[in-house]
Amino acid sequence: MTDTRRRVKLYALNAERQWDDRGTGHVTSSYVDRLKGVSLLVRAEVDGSLLLESKIQPDTAYQKQQETLIVWSEGDNFDLALSFQEKAGCDEIWEKICQVQGKDPSVDITQDFVEESEDERFEDMSDTAPPVELPPCELNKLETINELIASCLSSAVRREKLSTALEIEGYIRKLLNLFHICEDLENLEGLHHLFEVFKNIFLLNKNALFEVMFAEDTIFDVVGCLEYDPNAKIRKKHRDYLRQMAKFKEVIPITNPELLAKIHQTYRVQYIQDVVLPTPSVFEENMLSTLSSFIFFNKVEIVSLIQDDEKFLNELFTHLTDETMEISKRRDLVLFLKEFCTFSQTLQPQSRETFFKTLASLGILPALEITLGVDDLATKSASIDILSYIVEFSPSMVRDYMLQQVNSAEDENLLLNIIIEQMMCDSDPELGGAVQLSGILRLLIDPENMLASINKSEKADFLNFFYKHSMHVLVNPLLSNTTNDRPTKEDYPTVQLLGLILELLSFCVEHHTYHIKNYILNRDLLRRILVLMRSRHTFLVLSALRFLRKIISLKDEFYNRYIVKSNLLSPVVDAFLRNNGRYNLLDSAILELFEFIRSEDIKSLCVYVVDTFGKALDKVEYVQTFKCLRLRYDQQQDRIGERERSTSALDRYRRDPRQLEEEEEIWFNSEDDDAEDNGTDAVTPSHTASIPSNTQQVQTVAPTTSPTSPIAFSKANVISPKANHSGGSNSPIIGASSNGGSSSPSTLSPTTSPVPPSTDVQSPSTTKKVMRLVYCLCTIMYNFIL
């Protein structure tokens, strides 16, 4: 069984001072030869990979917080934290760290984070350094107390000794008693001193002191001390806000007192960090890291406590999906759920996955279908935030739910169509919600985060679903606004919305090559989009142009033929000519499009541009784009002309493979007749010269066609193989002797030795068929080569 005592979560503080989860594993401490020292090792519980290998340095400041946390800095500005599942495991590792550094395990910090000079470090770390002696906590000593605490901030060990003294003597509660006295006496000087004192106590970065200051009975007094800033002209009444204005709403009664206390404490500490405390200087910012850690781990604990309370969550979603719920009540429920999801961002990935799966099983997505469509702006905005959290973490989970809706809901009730509809009807003049929803939609239709396996094809299934059930909803505002030769409506919200739709369509062109191509070609969508080139809003014109540019960049001949056939570059050229050479973004974007056509040598578009718009574009001389485009066009036409001339010179030699010329037909027919009449095995052409005697040299007889004719060449090649097979002469043998040596009037023989009779002689009709087939094949190949 796995030892849960050593089970930890590893965190690292990023540049935004937020804790990033690095994984869950088990921690050990052992000597590492490579590092030459005792080191902390964390191995992942999933695959055993090494998550952390950190040597315990003798001068590294380790902090123990909240009984289950160990925090330290690994190098400059790189903080690490181990969050233990059990206190016993934290104590074991803490004792090992203290043993290596020679410290007492009862302390909560081994060193300090502030870099000091070697002299100071030697002096401060001396065992003989005296402890910090706090003066009596009295009104007349406040100035002295303030000076003492401020003087200790610059020294590492003095800060540690001061923190220990404040904790041991219960000094914070004594200071808060003085605060009540000063307020009652309206002693502003004393209150100003207390402000400085508590601001510097925060900079001590001591978790044990935070536990005292943030307790239920002391936190409001601490906030009160921080109200009396001597540099502020007017006192800010933070306590009044926390008590009266920021009232806690229990939309569902919370019966767990520990959870309730954590929620209150976390809210108030967050308020202190964000509002009450003065903005820290560059030198003070890292000195508040423990405060950030305190808030962070409080949020982790709150999410865990709520997630474990099944009764609370079931009641929450029951009320949330109740359609009879009043608007204000539903708003509070959604706002609470939003905060719950916000806190979940502190969880590690495995725990966050469990968290969202729990919400999905409870019906979070059906609930959002209801809350996204309500008229209350706060409810709708919070619902969009919740959906954003879910989709960003697991788009596949949302897509699975949408695919399951196909057989159980009408198109208008599909969650995907609800998202699109809400994007279309955003009442915000700046379309803040629409922009956020378009980002969610892009994540959902992005093939890069879709699963594809043997048993599951999410990409194909979801894209088919999207183009069948939702694409028409997305493009409907665009189509309804481009029924004429210019946009029908040009108010700002409409053109902003059209711009968002065009961004999504451009994304589809880039990532959904097959589905979007069919949609564009079948519905003539590009023509309608290019109507927006006549809009008076330049950014919308550029959006339409960017969509066209995405299509052309694919260099797909289906798209190119569609553009040429429909003359779709005409609106682009018209916009270019209307711009009249003004040096602006539209001019540059259009020039870049034509430059791309030229540089990529897209022949069909190059010919189309020059043939259709050449006369107008040739007048543009302030760039070389159109001159170079004309030059490439001329070169292409020259090549086409040369190819046509060479083709026409060979046309007279071409033969239709489906027909035989009359002369060839006569030759084959005559061959059949001669072979049948003479009853010989020879193959004899019908057109021959006079037959010489056997004492004269035999002349090779050719058909009556021209010597240069391909027919003669073809016939010679057809007959030659048989002759070469029978004799060793290189000259073709047109006939073969059947009597062993004497010539015959019906045969022709060369002057070489007679050819012995062949035993493998085909019948004349078979030979004729084979020759006809071979001849036809040779003719087809010849014409194909030409």
Side-chain angles (χ1 to χ4, degrees), residues 591-754:
L591 287 174
E592 191 277 334
L593 183 145
F594 287 112
E595 182 64 26
F596 179 82
I597 294 173
R598 183 202 65 79
S599 62
E600 295 297 323
D601 194 18
I602 305 178
K603 294 180 175 58
S604 56
L605 295 184
C606 180
V607 172
Y608 160 59
V609 170
V610 176
D611 282 346
T612 310
F613 312 108
K615 291 183 179 179
L617 297 179
D618 286 343
K619 299 176 183 178
V620 179
E621 297 180 348
Y622 60 91
V623 290
Q624 298 298 310
T625 299
F626 301 110
K627 184 181 292 185
C628 294
L629 198 62
R630 168 71 72 176
L631 179 60
R632 189 174 289 278
Y633 169 83
D634 292 340
Q635 292 172 348
Q636 186 175 345
Q637 294 304 310
D638 291 342
R639 287 195 295 270
I640 294 174
E642 291 176 1
R643 192 179 303 118
E644 289 178 350
R645 287 192 293 273
S646 62
T647 302
S648 63
L650 295 173
D651 279 346
R652 57 194 180 94
Y653 299 122
R654 291 183 182 274
R655 292 292 181 269
D656 188 344
R658 295 169 299 178
Q659 297 179 353
L660 293 175
E661 291 187 358
E662 181 181 357
E663 177 184 357
E664 297 163 355
E665 194 66 37
I666 292 173
W667 183 77
F668 278 114
N669 291 337
S670 300
E671 181 183 34
D672 295 342
D673 294 340
D674 290 344
E676 292 173 1
D677 291 342
N678 295 333
T680 64
D681 296 336
V683 180
T684 309
S686 59
H687 303 285
T688 61
S690 60
I691 304 173
S693 64
N694 59 351
T695 60
Q696 296 175 340
Q697 184 178 1
V698 180
Q699 296 179 354
T700 302
V701 181
T704 57
T705 54
S706 168
T708 59
S709 170
I711 301 174
F713 174 75
S714 300
K715 290 181 179 178
N717 284 336
V718 171
I719 301 172
S720 294
K722 183 176 180 182
N724 291 335
H725 177 75
S726 300
S729 173
N730 290 330
S731 62
I733 301 173
I734 303 178
S737 174
S738 60
N739 57 7
S742 62
S743 62
S744 170
S746 63
T747 61
L748 294 174
S749 63
T751 57
T752 58
S753 60

Side-chain angles (χ1 to χ4, degrees), residues 226-243:
L226 296 174
E227 290 180 353
Y228 292 94
D229 185 353
N231 297 319
K233 296 180 179 179
I234 301 176
R235 178 171 71 91
K236 297 179 180 179
K237 299 180 180 181
H238 298 298
R239 286 172 293 177
D240 292 346
Y241 176 83
L242 288 174
R243 285 180 173 138

Side-chain angles (χ1 to χ4, degrees), residues 475-487:
V475 301
N476 183 60
L478 192 150
L479 296 179
S480 62
N481 204 38
T482 56
T483 54
N484 302 318
D485 60 349
R486 60 176 59 247

